Amino acid sequence: MAAPFTLALVQMSPEKTVAGSLEKAAARVAEAAGRGAQVVCLPELFATPYFCRNQDHAAFDLAEPIPGPTTAAMAAAAKAAGVVVVAPLFERRGPGCFQNSLAVLGPDGGLLGVYRKMHIPHDPGFEEKFYFAPGDLGFKAFATPFGRIGTLICWDQWFPEAARATALAGAMVILYPTAIGWHPSEKAQYGETQRDSWITVQRGHAIANGVYVAAANRVGVEGGGAGYGETLEFWGSSFIADPSGRILAQAGVAEEQIVTAVIDPQVVETTRRHWPFLRDRRIDAYGGLCRLYGEETGGKAS
């Protein structure tokens, strides 16, 4: 059985330039390593402002290939600190083809793998379908020198199928780089409920799958402007939960922070022995999950 390892989540806001954000992120990776971290996860699209607040063709200029500048900078940070870095970015696949992706970078600076966000949201202030094609790599878990980690991205958080598929791929922990927050006009009425739902559903994924779950969110206020460029207040609250859903560490709602916790494969093993949900799955009875909704009607429409 793999040894325990320490996970760090970096809760941060972007700087005014990509270069500034990369420099900040590299410093946070080094700080996390100094606190004993062996795996470090950055927030969704950490190197740029959250440009998906509105539909702007000029924002496609922010995209870059893998490998590219962001992966190079974070690979150097990973190698300097001797850690694994999960680095989200706006990926350019080719002319007119873009995705919301992350790269897993090893402690030697090598690329361990890529995940592309599978579920793409479309809401006022979160216009991601304008920018991103859905992921085409499926649900993945990556072998690292410290343990097997699964990765999903933000909107994937709400889908139990995504967490289950990632757990079945062998992940000991599921990492969710995230960009979620409040519309200021809704915060007073819905804010507490929205944030609580976000935390609760992910704790449920941890329990249902017997894995650690960790969400690294952005923090701070971004935006303003015309159309759907409404100001967003990213609510931070980055947290790590154990396989029983217990929150081991959590950041605040307003400040940049690094939170850490130990990921222990023995805890996964023990939890699954006592709560054997994976054993008792009825894999012969889940065919309906391949339909969007309801039962097949068959026959011809009248």
Side-chain angles (χ1 to χ4, degrees):
M1 185 174 295
F5 64 90
T6 299
L7 168 67
L9 308 180
V10 175
Q11 178 168 291
M12 61 177 276
S13 58
E15 293 297 301
K16 293 181 179 179
T17 65
V18 170
S21 295
L22 294 177
E23 183 177 353
K24 176 194 277 189
R28 298 294 190 272
V29 168
E31 181 181 348
R35 292 167 55 177
Q38 293 149 299
V39 176
V40 183
C41 183
L42 298 164
E44 182 182 19
L45 302 170
F46 74 93
T48 67
Y50 184 72
F51 52 87
C52 309
R53 290 178 297 101
N54 55 12
Q55 298 184 12
D56 180 4
H57 289 89
F60 288 108
D61 292 337
L62 297 170
E64 60 183 76
I66 298 175
T70 293
T71 54
M74 292 301 98
K79 186 174 183 179
V83 299
V84 170
V85 173
V86 177
L89 71 155
F90 186 15
E91 183 186 9
R92 183 183 189 275
R93 299 286 299 280
C97 186
F98 305 88
Q99 290 181 294
N100 188 334
S101 305
L102 62 79
V104 181
L105 303 159
D108 62 353
L111 179 64
L112 299 180
V114 173
Y115 171 75
R116 298 185 177 119
K117 188 174 181 176
M118 293 286 281
H119 302 92
I120 309 299
H122 181 80
D123 262 330
F126 297 90
E127 299 278 344
E128 295 198 16
K129 280 185 165 62
F130 179 78
Y131 293 99
F132 309 128
D136 59 350
L137 296 176
F139 301 107
K140 304 173 76 69
F142 301 96
T144 82
F146 308 112
R148 197 165 183 85
I149 64 172
T151 57
L152 296 167
I153 299 175
C154 201
W155 193 238
D156 292 331
Q157 285 158 339
W158 302 97
F159 297 87
E161 301 90 343
R164 175 55 52 82
T166 303
L168 292 177
M172 293 291 102
V173 58
I174 301 175
L175 306 177
Y176 290 96
T178 301
I180 193 169
W182 295 295
H183 292 286
S185 61
E186 298 178 351
K187 182 179 177 181
Q189 184 174 3
Y190 303 113
E192 183 177 349
T193 297
Q194 290 171 340
R195 178 177 168 274
D196 185 62
S197 295
W198 173 75
I199 295 168
T200 301
V201 74
Q202 292 174 90
R203 292 176 66 196
H205 297 330
I207 296 165
N209 293 290
V211 294
Y212 291 84
V213 163
N217 196 16
R218 298 166 80 95
V219 70
V221 177
E222 298 183 29
Y228 288 138
E230 181 184 0
T231 299
L232 294 176
E233 180 184 352
F234 294 98
W235 64 45
S237 308
S238 302
F239 71 93
I240 303 169
D242 74 5
S244 297
R246 182 171 57 109
I247 294 179
L248 303 177
Q250 185 164 27
V253 299
E255 59 273 0
E256 295 188 321
Q257 286 181 253
I258 296 172
V259 295
T260 65
V262 173
I263 307 302
D264 188 347
Q266 183 60 60
V267 172
V268 173
E269 176 73 26
T270 300
T271 301
R272 289 182 178 176
R273 289 184 185 187
H274 290 273
W275 283 353
F277 304 138
L278 299 187
R279 181 198 69 189
D280 294 342
R281 294 173 62 236
R282 283 294 306 277
I283 59 175
D284 59 316
Y286 298 151
L289 293 178
C290 295
R291 294 193 295 271
L292 183 61
Y293 182 80
E295 297 183 2
E296 294 184 73
T297 57
K300 297 181 179 179
S302 58

